[in-house]
Amino acid sequence: MEAILYLSLVTVISYNIIAAENYKNTDNEFSNETVHRAYQTGVDFGIINTEKYPFLTFQSDERNIFRGLFREYTSLNASEPINYEEWLIMNNFGILPDTQESLFEKKIAKRSTADNKRRFVNTVRKGDILITGRGVGGLIGHAAIMTTDYWVLEMPGGTGWQNGIKNNNRQLSKHAWFDVHRSDWTTIYRNRDASVAHAAALWADHNYYNPRGGAKKTIHVTYKITTDIKSKNPSYCSKLVIQAYYFGTGNKKVISNLSVSGRVIVPTNIPIYFMHPYTLVNKGKY
C-alpha cells in the first residue's frame, strides 16, 4: 500500500514533466494513440492495475466521462495550459490510490439498495471523508466530510461553476447523501486518530457552516476552483476536506506540505496527503 501511495505522490508532483515529453500535438488530444498511451502511462506508473481496470473499461470512461471533465477544466484554466494525458495523471485516472479501484466501477447488485444504505448510515462517523465518482469543475470525483455522526458538509458545485457559484456550501443528512449518490460508489475513509478526526470535523463546521456550531448556516462560500489552497472563500469540495485536516488539527503533522501537492487538490488523491501516523483507513464502499 505504501508503495502505491508513494507512486501516486510522485505522479502528482511530476505529471507536468512526463506529459510535456510525451504529448506534443494538442490537436489529437482524444486520438486512439493518445488514449492507448495514456492508459499505458497509468500502468507504467503503477496507478492502473490492468486486472482491476481493463483498457476497455478505461476506454468507456474516457469517452463518456473524462473528455467532458477535461474540457471543463481547460475552459477554466486557459492561462495554465494542460494537455489531456497530463490532466488524467493529475486526477490519478479516477482511481483511488489505496485500492487501485476506479470511482466509476459499476455497481453490481450484490446487496439491495436498502441494505447498502443501512450499512452506509451505520458506518459513517464524525470526521470521516466521503469520496464518490461524480465530477464537477473539471475534477474527477467528489469529496465531503462528516461534521457529526449524522451531518455531511460539502460543496457540490453545479451549473455555472465556471464563473463561481455563490452560497454553495451546504449540510445534508447522511441519509440524503446516500440518496443523492445511490447510483455511485461512496468510499468512506477514516483517520486512525479519532481526536484528529473530531478536530477536523469541528473546524470544517465552524469555518464552512456556522462559527458557533449552530444548525443555521451563517457562512456563505462561493464554489470556484483556484490554485489558492489556503483561502476559505472561494473553495471547492476536496479543498474543504484537506483544509479541515490541515488547519483544524493544531500542531500535529497530519497533512503533507500542500505546496508540493499539485495545482489543485483532486478528490482521488486525498488519501496521499495524510502522513503517518494519521493515515486514513478505508472503511469500505457503499
Side-chain angles (χ1 to χ4, degrees):
M1 175 176 172
E2 292 180 355
I4 293 172
L5 296 181
Y6 173 76
L7 282 169
S8 297
L9 182 56
V10 170
T11 296
V12 173
I13 297 172
S14 62
Y15 65 82
N16 56 337
I17 299 172
I18 299 295
E21 293 175 350
N22 292 341
Y23 189 88
K24 305 291 185 182
N25 187 357
T26 56
D27 292 336
N28 295 316
E29 60 192 0
F30 302 130
S31 69
N32 289 335
E33 179 184 358
T34 299
V35 173
H36 278 88
R37 185 177 59 238
Y39 182 81
Q40 188 58 49
T41 298
V43 173
D44 293 342
F45 269 50
I47 301 170
I48 295 176
N49 180 321
T50 56
E51 293 183 359
K52 291 186 175 182
Y53 198 32
F55 176 71
L56 289 179
T57 305
F58 165 76
Q59 194 175 37
S60 175
D61 291 342
E62 184 277 324
R63 184 184 306 111
N64 298 320
I65 301 169
F66 299 156
R67 291 187 188 186
L69 288 174
F70 172 70
R71 290 190 179 106
E72 287 186 355
Y73 187 86
T74 54
S75 70
L76 180 66
N77 296 276
S79 62
E80 296 185 21
I82 185 172
N83 62 50
Y84 192 37
E85 187 175 351
E86 180 181 84
W87 176 85
L88 284 168
I89 296 170
M90 182 185 78
N91 281 279
N92 217 49
F93 291 80
I95 293 172
L96 294 173
D98 58 330
T99 63
Q100 288 188 295
E101 294 176 349
S102 170
L103 289 173
F104 302 98
E105 182 182 358
K106 292 183 179 179
K107 269 192 170 179
I108 300 174
K110 294 181 179 179
R111 322 177 186 130
S112 69
T113 300
D115 185 41
N116 203 32
K117 181 175 182 177
R118 179 184 60 80
R119 292 176 184 232
F120 172 79
V121 299
N122 288 337
T123 299
V124 288
R125 297 178 186 171
K126 183 176 181 178
D128 283 355
I129 298 169
L130 312 180
I131 302 179
T132 190
R134 298 192 179 193
V136 68
L139 299 183
I140 296 176
H142 177 56
I145 185 171
M146 298 291 301
T147 52
T148 69
D149 289 345
Y150 184 79
W151 293 106
V152 183
L153 178 66
E154 67 167 353
M155 295 197 66
T159 303
W161 63 267
Q162 295 93 332
N163 300 316
I165 307 172
K166 294 182 178 180
N167 195 27
N168 191 248
N169 54 313
R170 71 176 186 182
Q171 272 191 354
L172 65 165
S173 73
K174 58 187 178 181
H175 301 272
W177 168 276
F178 182 89
D179 290 341
V180 170
H181 299 282
R182 66 172 61 240
S183 61
D184 311 314
W185 286 113
T186 291
T187 300
I188 301 173
Y189 284 99
R190 180 167 301 154
N191 198 276
R192 296 175 186 274
D193 188 320
S195 65
V196 164
H198 286 198
L202 185 65
W203 186 95
D205 187 39
H206 287 187
N207 287 271
Y208 275 87
Y209 201 76
N210 185 318
R212 298 180 180 275
K216 181 180 179 180
K217 184 170 78 168
T218 59
I219 298 172
H220 307 279
V221 183
T222 296
Y223 181 98
K224 195 169 187 180
I225 298 173
T226 71
T227 56
D228 183 352
I229 55 179
K230 294 186 177 180
S231 70
K232 292 181 286 187
N233 195 2
S235 192
Y236 55 95
C237 67
S238 42
K239 176 180 168 181
L240 183 168
V241 170
I242 290 298
Q243 281 187 336
Y245 276 92
Y246 186 75
F247 294 115
T249 53
N251 295 325
K252 295 179 179 178
K253 294 183 179 180
V254 178
I255 300 295
S256 60
N257 186 356
L258 295 182
S259 65
V260 299
S261 298
R263 297 179 181 179
V264 294
I265 298 169
V266 297
T268 47
N269 277 320
I270 282 176
I272 72 172
Y273 286 81
F274 287 79
M275 301 175 65
H276 180 79
Y278 307 107
T279 50
L280 301 178
V281 177
N282 188 320
K283 304 302 290 185
K285 59 183 183 179
Y286 303 88

